[in-house]
Amino acid sequence: MTWICGYPDGTPQGRAFQMPDWTHGLVTEADAAGIAADLRQSTGTEPHILTVRGRLIRLARTRKDGKE
């Protein structure tokens, strides 16, 4: 199972991607937007959607390990 996570990227539709079920409740769309904004600021370009997804999954793993 998966859930859809989205974040704004300067276009009306924004961007969205699928996240594994286990990440639901550990990360939010606000986290994705923050990660994308940080990457935009550091690189000066729009980050690849899979880069944002990967960092969001890493954040979920960190938060999951902290709760167990």
Side-chain angles (χ1 to χ4, degrees), residues 8-30:
D9 70 344
T11 63
Q13 68 274 17
R15 294 184 180 219
F17 48 87
Q18 293 182 351
M19 290 289 291
D21 246 7
W22 67 267
T23 62
H24 191 265
L26 295 171
V27 292
T28 64
E29 290 184 343

Side-chain angles (χ1 to χ4, degrees), residues 29-43:
E29 290 184 343
D31 293 322
I35 289 169
D38 289 345
L39 288 168
R40 267 186 226 106
Q41 185 176 7
S42 67
T43 64

Side-chain angles (χ1 to χ4, degrees), residues 2-67:
T2 61
W3 61 282
I4 303 296
C5 182
Y7 66 94
D9 70 344
T11 63
Q13 68 274 17
R15 294 184 180 219
F17 48 87
Q18 293 182 351
M19 290 289 291
D21 246 7
W22 67 267
T23 62
H24 191 265
L26 295 171
V27 292
T28 64
E29 290 184 343
D31 293 322
I35 289 169
D38 289 345
L39 288 168
R40 267 186 226 106
Q41 185 176 7
S42 67
T43 64
T45 62
E46 183 63 33
H48 194 280
I49 196 166
L50 293 179
T51 303
V52 176
R53 182 180 183 273
R55 292 199 181 191
L56 197 60
I57 289 173
R58 274 190 267 161
L59 177 60
R61 279 190 188 122
T62 301
R63 288 179 178 172
K64 182 180 177 192
D65 291 342
K67 288 184 179 181

